[in-house]
Amino acid sequence: MLGRLSHPSARRLLGLASALLAIPALARAEALKDASNAPDRPLPAPIRAKLADGEERTLDEPLEAARFALRKRLPAGETALSPERYFAALEHMRAMPQHSIAAKTFLPSRAALAAAGASKEARIDLGTWTPLGPGNIGGRTRSLLIDPRRPQTFYAAGVAGGVWKSVNAGANWAPVGDLLPNLAVTSLVFDPTDSRTLYAGTGEGFFNFDAVRGAGILKSTDAGATWTRLAATNNPNFHFVNDLIVSSRARNRLYAATRTGVWRSTNGGASWTRILDPHVGDGCLDLAIRTDKASDVVFASCGNFASGTVRRNLKAESTSAWTAVLHEAGMGRTALAIAPSHQDTIYALADSLAGGGDYRFGLHAVFRSTNGGASWTAQVRNTSATKLDTLLLTNPVFASLLECGFSDANVFLNQGWYDNVLAVDPKDPNRVFAGGVDLFRSDDAGRSWGPISYWWAEDPTGPAPSFAHADNHALVFHPQYNGTTNQILYAGNDGGLFVTRNARAKKATGLDVCDPAQGKVAWRNLNHGYEVTQFYDGAAFPDGKTYFGGSQDNGTSLGTEAGGRNWKKLVSGDGGYVAVNPEATNILYVETTGISILKSVDGGAKFDGGTNGIDDPASLFIAPFILDRSSPSHLWTGGTFIWRTDDGADFWSSASTAVAGDGDSIVSALAVAPSNSNRVLVGLSRGYVHRNDHALSASNEDWPFVRIRDGFVSSLAFSPSDDRVAYATFSTFGGRHVWKTADGGATWAAIDGSGATGLPDVPALSIVPDVSDPDVLYLGTDLGVFATRNGGASWAIENTGFANVPTDRLDLVRGPGDASTLFAFTHGRGAWRVRIDP
């Protein structure tokens, strides 16, 4: 069997999986720290977690990422994040002055410029920030539109990067409009008679956690250039707009599937009427509409973690008469697809709610109707004899470790609650495509299936032709697809956008699932400037010409001036904090999730484990660590304890007793004074800040602390010229967000300013003092970058040229002649930089 494994990824996966599963579960965690992220074949973070602790994990990293984002922002006692907070902050920002770092000048407010009739370009042309990419990596995408009249024109929605447009079939992309990127854009539709009119639904309501609540439906009538929120959707009924469809019979008739049911508008979104109450808290997730009938025949799929049901309305334009046409015990989230060439044929892909066993949140069944949804037949179930047919909603290679000869045990990682999509070949009602972790196809009406993509067919030399990113959410055929000369199919997933031109090529069968070289459907990355990467952290090398960062589900990647906006992936999975040794830039540190630091001594070609000695019962999903740039053999990290290494992460020791606060108080930020390595500050998730003036000799001791305010300390930074001056930022809504100490952390005072020149109530994520002027501070927030030139007495919006995007990390690099460069690593719009002349 082993002789069949021709692709390097297969052989590496074999060796790693065999080694990991041969040792007891409790011993795997430490082995994984050293082995699982080796660039030969890095395993994704959810699988590492599963192998490491041996527990049955059904909700993995997507849910943890959402919980982490919410934890940073929600005030105590609140459970849902209201987007209205962001709209209030934006209104405050309209009256604030603007500032250009590059020009060192202030600009009129946005309101003043708008009143004067200034164009959008005039409002941003002084920003002079340069986008760095990654232009080849992308980010989670749940919707793609192709203009049927202009098939070179595409629109895509990044769930943290707004709406993007391409006018050359994805050869390059540009953001359109000024959406709030913190809103999860999950659905896009055209007006069928005027493709210049688009609707965008917000709110990613696909899993049972209020971490990515939206703010209704947005509308554009100028091909995406500007967007307006539909006032009638500014209410809780439209906090999660999971799907949108437009009637082909009436241009102003829309249907929306939301957490509270199915809603209909007959006037282009000006008003809405609920026509289906699902009576389940998960609401409705998928809609499908026939285009061959005089009336709107609409199907709605409702339920995710609650019991799933498919309903049909034969005259949805005028009635609320729905009939439950498909429901079984144990059936959960269900995707729908109508065959375009024979619309009496409809398919449904349902995940399983059954407890226990291998298939919870994996496949329940694939159903088919040939009489317009009146009756349904299960084409395949999770009990079917051919195992490959049952793996549509799990990770197929890890569910086949035993059969592939990779290991003596299989691992089921099911995500039918998260990635679950169906599409029917436009010319063949018996050919069906399904997206879960990987992509599958059936050529016999859903009775048998085989993979047509391999998420793990990637190594440092580049991906195999069969590689497409994992976690699929959208499948769209080219408007001129004919199944012969045009077999173009597009996929939207957690890695952005991918395309194949031979969608009908041979699919995998049998043990072909074990070898990516057997995949004959060839995929190509379409993220050519589709820069929606969601960074958690980033850092620049001392020369400012190389930079890298860790991002959500797209690992850690490195960019260079020479490489342009094409970045090189160093480590897969969820990426976290990063650091580079300024004295030997071939030494890099990265992490995945939790305290999982990895070290490379060859510029990122190979990584080894770097957490020897750490034994911490808890840490954040993205755990902070920092490198002392003035003494780079010293690094700091923490969870419920503070940890230090004195030898470049060869060994760590505990520098503290348990940190302040209750069990929910965890290390969230760290800073070392650049002029004094003994002075260290440590911030916690409940507002405490520890300090130590002899940190390099600290060992299992109590650190003095103060509680600045209740909230999440998102970053700390020392003044470059005075080691007793430092700054703390808070990402929790409902309080002051920027604080200053002048006595090494014993006492703190807020410096948010007030009035029109004060900061809005918006999460602050990262702060950097200027290296040449102690009164100049740069602040990264959920709505972009702010600057002060008087120590925080007044603030201005930094006129960056990029949208109001969460800016998780700012990094300042000093160059020759006292010039410096400020880098911004955003959570949804990639990385940027601006030069600051002395």
Side-chain angles (χ1 to χ4, degrees):
M1 182 181 294
L2 302 187
R4 325 177 48 250
L5 306 177
S6 58
H7 191 272
S9 294
R11 294 193 297 270
R12 290 167 184 147
L13 186 63
L14 166 63
L16 182 56
S18 297
L20 289 173
L21 291 173
I23 60 179
L26 293 178
R28 290 175 190 158
E30 194 60 41
L32 283 160
K33 293 175 184 177
D34 297 324
S36 67
N37 277 287
D40 285 349
R41 179 54 263 152
L43 292 178
I47 296 176
R48 283 200 316 279
K50 174 67 173 72
L51 293 176
D53 58 23
E55 295 179 359
E56 186 62 31
R57 290 177 180 262
T58 52
L59 304 181
D60 49 40
E61 305 303 282
L63 183 61
E64 292 306 313
R67 284 175 169 156
F68 175 65
L70 197 62
R71 181 176 189 170
K72 292 171 67 173
R73 292 164 173 84
L74 275 184
E78 296 188 18
T79 59
L81 182 58
S82 170
E84 299 310 316
R85 292 182 180 270
Y86 290 103
F87 282 98
L90 276 178
E91 188 60 29
H92 176 93
M93 290 167 62
R94 279 178 51 79
M96 290 184 70
Q98 299 187 89
H99 177 263
S100 170
I101 289 176
K104 291 189 175 179
T105 187
F106 287 92
L107 311 170
S109 69
R110 293 172 176 175
L113 284 172
S119 68
K120 179 183 177 183
E121 289 72 20
R123 296 198 296 273
I124 66 173
D125 60 4
L126 291 179
T128 63
W129 284 67
T130 301
L132 302 176
N136 59 324
I137 292 178
R140 186 161 75 254
T141 300
R142 287 195 177 270
S143 190
L144 172 68
L145 287 181
I146 303 175
D147 190 333
R149 297 171 181 82
R150 305 171 189 84
Q152 297 291 102
T153 299
F154 293 8
Y155 297 87
V159 298
V163 179
W164 290 67
K165 182 177 181 178
S166 172
V167 295
N168 51 17
N172 51 61
W173 295 83
V176 292
D178 192 22
L179 298 181
L180 285 174
N182 61 288
L183 298 180
V185 180
T186 57
S187 51
L188 287 171
V189 288
F190 285 124
D191 181 318
T193 63
D194 178 12
S195 57
R196 290 178 55 82
T197 297
L198 300 93
Y199 300 88
T202 68
E204 200 175 12
F206 295 91
F207 46 86
N208 196 24
F209 200 74
D210 290 349
V212 283
R213 201 181 96 180
I217 299 172
L218 303 151
K219 182 177 181 178
S220 173
T221 58
D222 53 11
T226 59
W227 296 81
T228 302
R229 179 166 61 164
L230 296 174
T233 66
N234 181 16
N235 61 71
N237 289 315
F238 294 88
H239 285 167
F240 297 94
V241 183
N242 297 319
D243 200 7
L244 285 171
I245 55 174
V246 182
S247 170
S248 63
R249 301 299 176 184
R251 61 170 296 182
N252 289 319
R253 195 156 63 226
L254 296 88
Y255 302 90
T258 82
R259 184 64 63 84
T260 59
V262 177
W263 296 77
R264 179 184 65 217
S265 173
T266 59
N267 51 16
S271 62
W272 294 81
T273 301
R274 183 163 66 178
I275 61 173
L276 173 61
D277 183 347
H279 301 292
V280 292
D282 291 347
C284 300
L285 287 86
D286 206 2
L287 296 172
I289 186 169
R290 294 186 66 155
T291 60
D292 62 338
K293 297 291 187 180
S295 295
D296 287 349
V297 178
V298 175
F299 295 84
S301 170
C302 305
N304 189 356
F305 296 99
S307 181
T309 302
V310 177
R311 295 177 174 86
R312 182 181 65 173
N313 188 323
L314 295 175
K315 202 172 183 178
E317 72 274 15
S318 59
T319 77
S320 300
W322 295 83
T323 302
V325 293
L326 177 60
H327 172 75
E328 289 187 350
M331 179 173 140
R333 179 183 171 186
T334 303
L336 301 171
I338 297 173
S341 62
H342 187 269
Q343 295 193 39
D344 276 331
T345 301
I346 309 160
Y347 293 87
L349 170 60
D351 84 340
S352 174
L353 297 180
D358 290 331
Y359 288 93
R360 181 167 171 80
F361 301 121
L363 180 71
H364 174 76
V366 176
F367 299 95
R368 181 178 187 241
S369 172
T370 57
N371 57 9
S375 61
W376 299 75
T377 302
Q379 303 296 84
V380 64
R381 295 183 179 274
N382 61 30
T383 55
S384 295
T386 302
K387 181 179 177 181
L388 187 60
D389 297 338
T390 72
L391 304 183
L392 304 185
L393 296 176
T394 191
N395 192 311
V397 65
F398 272 83
S400 307
L401 292 174
L402 176 61
E403 291 84 354
C404 291
F406 293 165
S407 165
D408 58 1
N410 292 322
V411 178
F412 280 75
L413 294 158
N414 306 321
Q415 293 189 175
W417 59 275
Y418 176 69
D419 36 50
N420 182 338
V421 62
L422 269 182
V424 185
D425 189 302
K427 300 299 180 181
D428 183 352
N430 294 317
R431 198 181 306 267
V432 195
F433 296 78
V437 175
D438 268 329
L439 295 161
F440 280 73
R441 192 185 74 227
S442 171
D443 300 328
D444 58 2
R447 289 186 291 272
S448 64
W449 295 82
I452 59 169
S453 73
Y454 294 75
W455 69 264
W456 53 287
E458 187 180 29
D459 59 45
T461 63
S466 58
F467 168 79
H469 199 281
D471 302 340
N472 291 275
H473 310 289
L475 289 169
V476 179
F477 294 96
H478 191 277
Q480 296 167 349
Y481 181 100
N482 58 25
T484 54
T485 59
N486 185 321
Q487 298 182 35
I488 300 175
L489 173 64
Y490 301 91
N493 51 45
D494 277 11
L497 297 164
F498 285 76
V499 60
T500 178
R501 294 183 176 276
N502 65 339
R504 288 189 174 187
K506 178 183 176 295
K507 70 179 188 294
T509 58
L511 291 181
D512 288 348
V513 70
C514 308
D515 185 1
Q518 302 302 313
K520 303 307 178 186
V521 178
W523 294 90
R524 182 168 55 86
N525 184 316
L526 206 63
N527 299 316
H528 308 140
Y530 182 56
E531 297 174 0
V532 294
T533 304
Q534 298 167 274
F535 281 111
Y536 288 120
D537 189 61
F541 283 44
D543 64 1
K545 297 181 180 180
T546 302
Y547 23 84
F548 68 138
S551 61
Q552 189 273 329
D553 202 37
N554 282 287
T556 299
S557 302
L558 181 144
T560 65
E561 278 190 358
R565 284 149 85 168
N566 288 329
W567 290 39
K568 177 184 178 182
K569 186 173 287 189
L570 302 179
V571 174
S572 295
D574 279 296
Y577 279 68
V578 298
V580 56
N581 185 328
E583 297 174 2
T585 57
N586 60 309
I587 299 177
L588 307 177
Y589 300 89
V590 305
E591 69 173 354
T592 54
T593 56
I595 300 178
S596 55
I597 300 165
L598 304 165
K599 179 180 180 180
S600 173
V601 297
D602 55 12
K606 182 177 182 293
F607 282 89
D608 294 309
T611 57
N612 186 30
I614 295 178
D615 182 15
D616 205 309
S619 65
L620 290 174
F621 173 69
I622 301 297
F625 78 85
I626 58 166
L627 176 144
D628 182 349
R629 293 186 180 182
S630 62
S631 181
S633 62
H634 295 114
L635 290 88
W636 296 84
T637 191
T640 56
F641 297 87
I642 302 167
W643 299 87
R644 183 188 71 241
T645 177
D646 302 324
D647 54 14
D650 286 343
F651 184 81
W652 295 76
S653 57
S654 174
S656 76
T657 56
V659 297
D662 57 26
D664 192 38
S665 188
I666 296 176
V667 173
S668 59
L670 305 122
V672 180
S675 56
N676 182 356
S677 295
N678 263 308
R679 181 154 285 167
V680 173
L681 293 174
V682 178
L684 307 182
S685 60
R686 294 300 305 273
Y688 299 92
V689 174
H690 285 282
R691 65 187 184 275
N692 201 314
D693 295 337
H694 60 275
L696 292 182
S697 58
S699 177
N700 294 313
E701 64 185 60
D702 294 333
W703 288 39
F705 66 87
V706 63
R707 193 179 199 184
I708 300 177
R709 56 159 283 207
D710 188 13
F712 191 102
V713 182
S714 52
S715 74
L716 293 162
F718 277 95
S719 165
S721 57
D722 186 342
D723 65 12
R724 295 187 63 79
V725 174
Y727 304 90
T729 64
F730 281 75
S731 55
T732 305
F733 274 108
R736 297 288 186 167
H737 291 280
V738 185
W739 297 74
K740 178 182 178 180
T741 179
D743 56 12
T747 61
W748 297 79
I751 56 169
D752 288 46
S754 61
T757 59
L759 291 169
D761 181 13
V762 67
L765 305 173
S766 178
I767 192 166
V768 172
D770 191 275
V771 294
S772 58
D773 187 339
D775 287 330
V776 176
L777 304 170
Y778 308 112
L779 179 70
T781 76
D782 262 4
L783 292 176
V785 180
F786 293 80
T788 178
R789 304 194 72 84
N790 55 16
S794 62
W795 293 83
I797 301 166
E798 169 55 28
N799 197 286
T800 57
F802 57 84
N804 300 316
V805 64
T807 305
D808 278 41
R809 186 63 55 209
L810 295 173
D811 190 27
L812 192 65
V813 175
R814 188 171 220 160
D818 286 334
S820 56
T821 302
L822 181 63
F823 290 80
F825 296 86
T826 75
H827 196 76
R829 286 286 174 89
W832 298 70
R833 73 178 173 194
V834 63
R835 178 183 170 90
I836 307 173
D837 290 321

